[in-house]
Amino acid sequence: MITFKVGILGAGAIAARIADCLNELSGFTPYAIASRDEAKAAAFAVTHQIEKSYGSYDELIADPKVELVYIATVTSTHAELAKRCLEAGKPCLVEKPFSFNSATTREVLELAKEKDLFCGEALWTRYMPLTHTVVKLANESLLGPVRHVTAAIGYDLHEVERLTSPELAGGALLDIGIYPLSFVVSIMGQLPANFAPSIIKWKTNVDAIDAIQLNFAKARSASVFATMTYNTENKATIYCTGGRIEVDNVNCPEKVTVYGTNGQPVQILQKPEKQKSGYEFEFMAAREAVMTGKIETPEHTHQDIIHLSSFLETIRRSAGIVFPLPGEPSIEELSKQFKKV
């Protein structure tokens, strides 16, 4: 089998998990790693059995053997690095969230279209088989129409700089809130008609706790909760007229239990036995797109990425949260935008 060579930008925790996944995945190899700290990159390469290490991102991007770049840096740098990859003729898979706002997201995806190169978002749940199964179950009408969805996620991350820093596009919403929101949108098949957020900010003016009520067409609703201040159960429940579907671990579905009208379980589904870390599915989808000349995957299209990015931005800005980054309005401009009539 031909080995697909992946270059990784950033040598943090997510990069380590990705490298380990690629080492176990047939037909792939974590060929190169880059960090702004050359010694860190070299040590990472040894630990994770990577052939090449670089002390700058541009050096890795310029390596002719790299067939796909995985961007595993902090959120504030995603868009700029993606553009550098595309300008150099390199397809790229960008760690979620794709970027910190819709303006930079659109800019990158327009460039991907212009260059006719693959560029995707590594929102791994969108690629997982068990996620697809849940969406299918919810829409087969065997339990009747979906009426309400609840989804929650929480981790104690309040001491992690990339979460607390506005300069790094921090906050619970973009880092972990994206999972339950993406889940709800996948089940409903559309963005909400309106929403009502209740957001508690951290002392650095990023969101720390997000409780969001979402209303959809046909009298459907959802409740989403995300926090970076403590651990929660990370569970989702889909309520239908004839039963409910419970999903354990909304950011990496592991078990799905289907209940009938009598409240008793009628079906229990587990993640596939062949599933390793769960990251492998996004890489298989990305490789398929690259090798067939596609600029996106069917599992998570550019339109999906833009819609989700725009929705996250609207929620964040409705709470008066802006980042000191390109494409962001000033506090004064934001106040006028959301001024009550």
Side-chain angles (χ1 to χ4, degrees):
M1 180 181 287
I2 298 173
T3 301
F4 195 68
K5 294 181 174 62
V6 180
I8 304 171
L9 302 185
I14 183 62
R17 292 196 289 270
I18 292 302
D20 292 341
C21 168
L22 292 171
N23 274 321
E24 294 182 7
L25 189 56
S26 178
F28 289 81
T29 184
Y31 163 76
I33 179 71
S35 170
R36 289 174 296 183
D37 183 332
E38 189 172 359
K40 184 177 182 180
F44 187 101
V46 171
T47 301
H48 299 281
Q49 302 150 32
I50 296 177
E51 182 178 337
K52 304 283 287 187
S53 66
Y54 294 103
S56 78
Y57 300 141
D58 288 331
E59 284 182 280
L60 183 148
I61 293 170
D63 187 326
K65 291 186 178 180
V66 171
E67 297 173 276
L68 174 72
V69 178
Y70 189 91
I71 299 174
T73 55
V74 294
T75 299
S76 57
T77 64
H78 288 178
E80 178 57 34
L81 290 174
K83 285 191 290 184
R84 279 150 70 173
C85 288
L86 295 169
E87 290 288 3
K90 284 287 194 294
C92 56
L93 185 59
V94 185
E95 172 61 25
K96 62 78 198 157
F98 190 86
S99 188
F100 52 86
N101 63 25
S102 62
T104 50
T105 295
R106 290 176 185 276
E107 187 178 350
V108 173
L109 295 180
E110 286 170 6
L111 181 61
K113 185 176 181 180
E114 176 189 321
K115 298 292 185 180
D116 196 26
L117 286 169
F118 170 75
C119 184
E121 181 178 36
L123 183 54
W124 64 336
T125 50
R126 287 287 182 122
Y127 305 88
M128 291 180 181
L130 198 51
T131 301
H132 299 162
T133 298
V134 173
V135 173
K136 185 178 179 182
L137 279 172
N139 288 279
E140 280 181 340
S141 298
L142 297 178
L143 295 176
V146 174
R147 304 314 310 161
H148 184 70
V149 180
T150 64
I153 190 169
Y155 294 103
D156 186 358
L157 302 168
H158 70 276
E159 293 184 353
V160 179
E161 184 186 8
R162 65 179 176 82
L163 269 294
T164 59
S165 170
E167 290 77 16
L168 301 181
L173 185 67
L174 293 185
D175 193 74
I176 57 175
I178 188 173
Y179 289 121
L181 281 169
S182 172
F183 179 82
V184 167
V185 170
S186 294
I187 296 301
M188 296 300 193
Q190 60 186 198
L191 292 173
N194 54 69
F195 67 94
S198 177
I199 295 175
I200 298 175
K201 299 178 186 178
W202 193 244
K203 56 189 175 183
T204 54
N205 201 44
V206 299
D207 62 294
I209 301 175
D210 305 278
I212 309 166
Q213 176 67 25
L214 308 135
N215 297 315
F216 293 84
K218 300 180 181 179
R220 299 174 300 162
S221 60
S223 300
V224 167
F225 179 82
T227 178
M228 66 179 196
T229 61
Y230 55 88
N231 297 318
T232 66
E233 197 174 11
N234 299 353
K235 191 172 184 177
T237 303
I238 304 165
Y239 295 94
C240 305
T241 56
R244 72 183 190 276
I245 303 169
E246 293 186 355
V247 181
D248 291 349
N249 202 0
V250 69
N251 62 319
C252 182
E254 297 173 351
K255 178 184 174 183
V256 175
T257 307
V258 182
Y259 294 85
T261 51
N262 61 0
Q264 297 301 309
V266 297
Q267 188 177 13
I268 297 177
L269 302 168
Q270 304 282 352
K271 65 182 180 181
E273 288 186 11
K274 65 179 181 179
Q275 181 169 320
K276 301 180 187 299
S277 65
Y279 293 108
E280 64 266 30
F281 302 112
E282 64 190 22
F283 281 100
M284 291 188 287
R287 179 178 65 179
E288 177 68 17
V290 171
M291 296 185 73
T292 57
K294 303 292 194 305
I295 65 172
E296 60 187 356
T297 67
E299 293 90 345
H300 195 36
T301 66
H302 284 184
Q303 199 62 52
D304 293 333
I305 297 169
I306 290 169
H307 283 164
L308 194 55
S309 176
S310 298
F311 186 41
L312 290 166
E313 174 183 87
T314 301
I315 295 171
R316 172 173 59 84
R317 291 183 180 176
S318 72
I321 298 172
V322 294
F323 301 130
L325 296 166
E328 289 286 280
S330 66
I331 292 294
E332 292 74 21
E333 291 170 332
L334 194 65
S335 298
K336 292 179 181 178
Q337 182 181 349
F338 288 98
K339 184 179 179 181
K340 293 182 179 180
V341 178

